[in-house]
Amino acid sequence: MAPDAIDQVVELFATLPTIGRKTARRLAFHLLRQPPEFVEQFAASLVSMRTAVRECTQCCTFTDRDVCAICASPKRDRSTICVVEHPSDVMAIERTHEYRGLYHVLHGTLSPLDNIGPDDVRIRELLGRLDGVNEVILAINPNVEGEVTTLYIARQLQTLGIRVTRIARGVPVGTDLEFADDATLAKAIEGRTTL
Amino acid sequence: MAPDAIDQVVELFATLPTIGRKTARRLAFHLLRQPPEFVEQFAASLVSMRTAVRECTQCCTFTDRDVCAICASPKRDRSTICVVEHPSDVMAIERTHEYRGLYHVLHGTLSPLDNIGPDDVRIRELLGRLDGVNEVILAINPNVEGEVTTLYIARQLQTLGIRVTRIARGVPVGTDLEFADDATLAKAIEGRTTL
């Protein structure tokens, strides 16, 4: 019923995460109500983002330079590396203003079932930048694949004599205990700290 | 923290309906993980949609031709026009396969508080295409602005001696009465039909 040009945009929007067909249709119609200049700017921004942004040659996060702002900063503690799955995790941790070390972005997790092995994530790149590093903090998402990846990296690093830590798993701040799932609660008890 | 190119895309995504800043960020990062060709195709589709799609010269719905497929079809009943707010409403009614007449898309509703008057929606265009029309069905959304618009158009058409109807307001199919709001239930009782 709709012109093909609209259908095509709906199809493409619907491939994006969190966007179903209904929302995709709504977004397409919204863009049709905007001035052509807005849509052109939107399209140009997408292309120039994808062209400009690449991986930092040191930590593999997204950057528009060879070396990202964090790796280039003289204020960061170069003896600590925090390993995360995605560039968005770097930003999440930066927003806490609690961490002053460097990062390393894996761009995924090991997943034998999906044929994703150590060479498909940036583990080799991590092993190649451990000169002068005292501690590696593993901040990988606490799910099955994350667990596999955490243990794999921990084992690799322990043979090199580097201190390996992982971020605490426990009850989120601001929630009620009764709403925490069993696994989280078990980890919270296991990881209890002395007052 | 993020490169400007990413921030700009996040800002633009966040201007779209149903997309908050968190989702906008997620979409931007998703696109960064796609091949450059995909992002280029996505951008090109947006621009070509906005360029190709305009309003049908008869019913004002979105089309990539002068006259939309519905207005051009010899199979449609030209004596009935169904008035809706948006092109997406046309598609919603078409999906029911219940209606064989023509449409007219207002592209909005009257809203005195927002300074949207009769000249800002396609009411004049509607009044200009009533030759040979016996019935106008008003299928405008049942909210305050929709009500104002429905009554305004009804009054204009009644002076021309055309039959004006509105779609039924009542309890949605498949829900429980207890979940219907008072206004809907009142309209359902008022509009009861004989069995």
Side-chain angles (χ1 to χ4, degrees):
Chain A
M1 227 47 260
D4 293 346
I6 300 182
D7 280 342
Q8 200 185 349
V9 167
V10 171
E11 294 301 328
L12 286 166
F13 265 126
T15 68
L16 303 182
T18 77
I19 296 187
R21 296 195 59 79
K22 247 188 173 159
T23 306
R25 214 176 290 136
R26 192 163 164 192
L27 294 175
F29 281 115
H30 175 83
L31 289 178
L32 282 168
R33 285 195 295 274
Q34 305 310 306
E37 299 75 36
F38 175 86
V39 178
E40 276 156 29
Q41 196 210 338
F42 191 86
S45 297
L46 294 180
V47 172
S48 78
M49 172 185 81
R50 189 65 189 79
T51 312
V53 175
R54 51 216 144 123
E55 292 182 17
C56 169
T57 53
Q58 294 185 15
C59 75
C60 304
T61 197
F62 287 139
T63 175
D64 48 8
R65 289 175 270 183
D66 267 357
V67 174
C68 77
I70 294 173
C71 287
S73 164
K75 289 185 186 157
R76 310 292 300 215
D77 169 10
R78 291 173 184 277
S79 68
T80 312
I81 290 181
C82 177
V83 178
V84 296
E85 279 178 47
H86 299 296
S88 46
D89 300 329
V90 171
M91 285 170 220
I93 296 177
E94 283 299 287
R95 279 195 295 273
T96 68
H97 299 290
E98 279 293 324
Y99 179 68
R100 303 301 304 159
L102 301 179
Y103 291 93
H104 189 83
V105 178
L106 296 175
H107 289 278
T109 46
L110 299 178
S111 177
L113 287 178
D114 302 316
N115 261 324
I116 302 178
D119 290 342
D120 301 311
V121 296
R122 311 291 185 277
I123 290 181
R124 206 182 321 185
E125 288 81 352
L126 172 65
L127 300 177
R129 57 181 291 225
L130 296 174
D131 250 12
V133 171
N134 299 326
E135 180 177 356
V136 171
I137 303 170
L138 299 174
I140 299 166
N141 289 324
N143 50 35
V144 176
E145 290 83 12
E147 214 52 20
V148 171
T149 313
T150 296
L151 295 176
Y152 178 89
I153 297 178
R155 214 162 291 166
Q156 302 266 315
L157 297 175
Q158 274 149 359
T159 63
L160 302 172
I162 292 173
R163 185 179 175 216
V164 186
T165 56
R166 74 183 302 163
I167 55 168
R169 292 164 300 175
V171 184
V173 177
T175 52
D176 276 10
L177 275 200
E178 59 173 319
F179 298 131
D181 61 288
D182 298 352
T184 301
L185 212 48
K187 290 294 176 193
I189 293 169
E190 187 187 318
R192 65 193 181 279
T193 55
T194 313
L195 290 175
Chain B
M1 225 45 261
D4 292 347
I6 300 181
D7 281 342
Q8 201 186 345
V9 167
V10 172
E11 295 300 329
L12 286 166
F13 265 126
T15 67
L16 303 182
T18 76
I19 297 188
R21 296 194 59 79
K22 248 187 171 160
T23 305
R25 215 177 288 134
R26 193 164 161 191
L27 295 175
F29 281 114
H30 174 84
L31 289 179
L32 282 168
R33 285 194 296 273
Q34 304 311 305
E37 299 74 37
F38 175 86
V39 178
E40 275 155 31
Q41 195 209 339
F42 191 86
S45 297
L46 294 180
V47 171
S48 79
M49 173 185 79
R50 189 63 189 81
T51 313
V53 175
R54 50 217 145 120
E55 291 182 17
C56 169
T57 52
Q58 295 184 16
C59 75
C60 305
T61 198
F62 287 138
T63 175
D64 48 9
R65 290 175 268 183
D66 267 355
V67 174
C68 77
I70 295 174
C71 286
S73 166
K75 291 186 186 156
R76 310 293 300 214
D77 169 11
R78 293 176 180 276
S79 68
T80 313
I81 291 181
C82 177
V83 178
V84 297
E85 279 177 48
H86 299 297
S88 47
D89 301 329
V90 171
M91 285 170 220
I93 295 177
E94 283 297 288
R95 279 195 294 273
T96 68
H97 300 289
E98 279 294 323
Y99 179 67
R100 303 301 304 159
L102 302 179
Y103 291 93
H104 189 85
V105 179
L106 296 175
H107 287 278
T109 46
L110 299 178
S111 179
L113 287 176
D114 301 317
N115 261 323
I116 301 178
D119 290 343
D120 301 312
V121 295
R122 311 291 184 278
I123 290 181
R124 205 182 323 182
E125 288 80 353
L126 171 65
L127 300 177
R129 56 181 290 225
L130 296 175
D131 251 10
V133 171
N134 299 326
E135 179 178 356
V136 170
I137 302 170
L138 299 174
I140 299 166
N141 289 323
N143 50 37
V144 176
E145 290 83 11
E147 217 49 23
V148 171
T149 312
T150 296
L151 294 176
Y152 178 89
I153 296 178
R155 212 163 292 164
Q156 302 265 315
L157 296 176
Q158 273 147 2
T159 62
L160 302 173
I162 292 174
R163 182 176 177 222
V164 185
T165 56
R166 74 184 300 162
I167 54 168
R169 292 165 300 175
V171 185
V173 177
T175 54
D176 276 10
L177 275 200
E178 59 173 321
F179 299 131
D181 61 288
D182 298 353
T184 300
L185 213 46
K187 291 294 177 193
I189 294 169
E190 189 187 317
R192 66 192 179 280
T193 55
T194 312
L195 289 176

